[in-house]
Amino acid sequence: MGESLSRSSVLRGAGLGAAGLAAAMLSGAGTAGARTAAGAGELPHVRLIRRYYEAYASGDPDALRPFFTPDIRWTIPGHHPLAGTKEGIEEVLAFFRELRKSGFRAETLCIAADRDWVVDLHRGWSTTPEGLDTTWALAFRIRNGRIAEAINFAGDQHAADAFFWRAHPLAPLPDRLAP
């Protein structure tokens, strides 16, 4: 089970597309009774992700550090400057520092858990500049009480790509290639 999963293998393995994943989450399918209201009786992995989002809302990327395993992998889908898999805490925090420049916010809609996985559905939007407001799903793999892997699923990947190109353009040449 220590092997990393790709975004597509998670969806294929579940027999779902992004819309089917969201529908399954909302219906409680595959949660083994783990989907509960926030508070008493909530599974530890769900509480972890709720606390993670509270830290994220603080606006301080370093507040996220205690939530990550040292070898964390965070996959951002798309074809834009922030896309790709970030490996290790420093790369993941660098991503969140860039994301912060966009005034990116998140409002949790649903969190479900089963074994080592937590899936959340949330509204994510930008404030600086405005222009991206979509539903996102994240699949979190938990190991020893910390996030070991996260895979993003954008509700509107085309809108996300266009936004991130506007908000995070590449430096012009030759500066872009300078060490």
Side-chain angles (χ1 to χ4, degrees):
M1 235 333 144
E3 145 185 350
S4 177
L5 297 176
S6 71
R7 175 178 183 263
S8 59
S9 67
V10 169
L11 288 176
R12 278 193 308 271
L16 300 171
L21 176 65
M25 286 175 51
L26 293 174
S27 72
T31 63
R35 196 172 68 93
T36 65
E42 197 167 61
L43 292 176
H45 291 350
V46 171
R47 281 194 306 271
L48 172 73
I49 298 305
R50 286 195 195 284
R51 287 193 331 267
Y52 159 80
Y53 274 109
E54 289 169 7
Y56 177 85
S58 77
D60 176 11
D62 285 314
L64 304 176
R65 185 180 297 274
F67 291 91
F68 303 146
T69 62
D71 61 342
I72 185 170
R73 293 175 47 86
W74 197 289
T75 301
I76 312 303
H79 302 282
H80 58 77
L82 299 185
T85 298
K86 316 310 179 222
E87 296 186 15
I89 292 174
E90 297 311 318
E91 280 188 22
V92 171
L93 292 179
F95 162 74
F96 280 107
R97 285 183 194 100
E98 285 300 307
L99 196 60
R100 183 177 179 202
K101 292 177 185 177
S102 305
F104 217 78
R105 304 287 184 260
E107 175 187 4
T108 304
L109 303 172
C110 174
I111 300 176
D114 193 3
R115 294 183 292 269
D116 294 339
W117 286 92
V118 176
V119 178
D120 93 79
L121 187 65
H122 67 272
R123 173 185 171 227
W125 71 98
S126 64
T127 61
T128 313
E130 291 182 359
L132 183 61
D133 190 341
T134 193
T135 302
W136 299 83
L138 269 80
F140 295 97
R141 186 171 51 87
I142 309 301
R143 186 176 71 228
N144 298 325
R146 293 186 179 190
I147 301 168
E149 183 173 13
I151 306 168
N152 288 55
F153 301 88
D156 186 340
Q157 188 62 61
H158 295 292
D161 287 342
F163 170 79
F164 286 118
W165 272 112
R166 281 191 317 275
H168 301 277
L170 295 177
L173 291 173
D175 297 337
R176 178 177 0 153
L177 302 178

